[in-house]
């Protein structure tokens, strides 16, 4: 029957990552998603051999802006969240040499002049940390003025990104 769901699709689970949060999984039936990345930056990292993936939704570049908040919600900041994402992925047997990344967000969504340039600062902080960790970035869709929603299929490493301009797909496998 055309349009009938497949057995694996009946068991798909969605894990939604909110602002300043992260998730990792090695469950092939999990899709990890975050919605409406504006000036925030979403980083998806995937190890295709271990079939382990993770996503973080970073709101700010530097935890020195609010050390108390960084203690309670470290994934909110690039400098405290990225190392936690990396450690959690390694805890599920992902290996640095096999990790591939997709980066999205960092838009300038405030009308007029964005004097704080949060999107740009988030992008710079994330680039610096990814380079320090030695993770290969397969693709980055950053900057501009459009928000982005991203999804990772942990089972096959497929990334889907939705913007007001359309939907695109990319494989990190």
């Amino acid at each position: 029957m055309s349009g009938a769901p497949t057995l694996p699709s009946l068991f798909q689970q969605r894990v939604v990552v909110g602002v300043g949060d992260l998730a990792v999984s090695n469950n092939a039936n999990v899709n990890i998603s975050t919605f409406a990345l504006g000036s925030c930056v979403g980083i998806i990292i995937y190890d295709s051999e271990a079939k382990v993936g993770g996503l973080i939704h970073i709101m700010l570049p530097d935890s020195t802006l609010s050390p108390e908040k960084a203690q309670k919600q470290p994934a909110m900041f690039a400098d405290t969240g990225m190392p936690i994402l990396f450690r959690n992925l390694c805890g599920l047997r992902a290996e640095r040499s096999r990790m591939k990344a997709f980066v999205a967000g960092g838009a300038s969504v405030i009308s007029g002049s964005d004097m704080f340039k949060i999107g740009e600062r988030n992008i710079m902080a994330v680039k610096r940390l990814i380079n320090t960790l030695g993770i290969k970035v397969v693709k980055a869709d950053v900057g501009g003025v459009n928000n982005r929603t991203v999804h990772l299929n942990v089972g096959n490493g497929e990334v889907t990104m939705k913007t007001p301009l359309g939907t695109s797909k990319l494989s990190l496998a």
Side-chain angles (χ1 to χ4, degrees):
M1 174 191 313
S2 131
T6 62
L7 191 58
S9 72
L10 293 174
F11 297 102
Q12 280 299 126
Q13 301 169 11
R14 180 166 316 275
V15 174
V16 177
V17 174
V19 177
D21 205 359
L22 65 85
V24 299
S25 181
N26 60 357
N27 182 334
N29 293 319
V30 167
N31 282 305
I32 305 173
S33 304
T34 197
F35 296 89
L37 292 163
S39 61
C40 295
V41 173
I43 301 102
I44 293 173
I45 299 178
Y46 189 72
D47 176 336
S48 60
E49 189 173 315
K51 297 219 181 295
V52 171
L55 186 155
I56 186 169
H57 186 137
I58 293 171
M59 184 176 169
L60 295 167
D62 185 2
S63 62
T64 60
L65 298 169
S66 179
E68 312 79 40
K69 189 71 171 176
Q71 285 291 319
K72 294 177 188 164
Q73 196 175 3
M76 179 179 279
F77 303 92
D79 65 333
T80 52
M82 285 292 294
I84 292 170
L85 174 64
F86 182 75
R87 280 195 307 273
N88 288 348
L89 289 165
C90 291
L92 292 176
R93 303 196 191 285
E95 292 186 16
R96 179 191 316 248
S97 63
R98 299 188 308 238
M99 291 180 188
K100 294 179 184 174
F102 172 73
V103 180
S108 179
V109 293
I110 299 172
S111 303
S113 172
D114 178 6
M115 66 183 206
F116 297 112
K117 300 193 182 302
I118 297 297
E120 287 179 36
R121 290 172 47 212
N122 282 340
I123 293 166
M124 290 187 325
V126 165
K127 281 183 181 178
R128 202 170 35 251
L129 287 161
I130 285 177
N131 286 336
T132 300
L133 292 170
I135 298 168
K136 178 184 177 188
V137 176
V138 173
K139 182 172 180 173
D141 191 311
V142 296
V145 295
N146 291 317
N147 66 31
R148 298 157 174 97
T149 291
V150 294
H151 310 279
L152 169 66
N153 180 318
V154 175
N156 63 15
E158 184 176 84
V159 174
T160 304
M161 182 178 70
K162 296 180 181 182
T163 71
L165 305 175
T167 300
S168 60
K169 293 187 185 252
L170 164 77
S171 177
L172 292 179

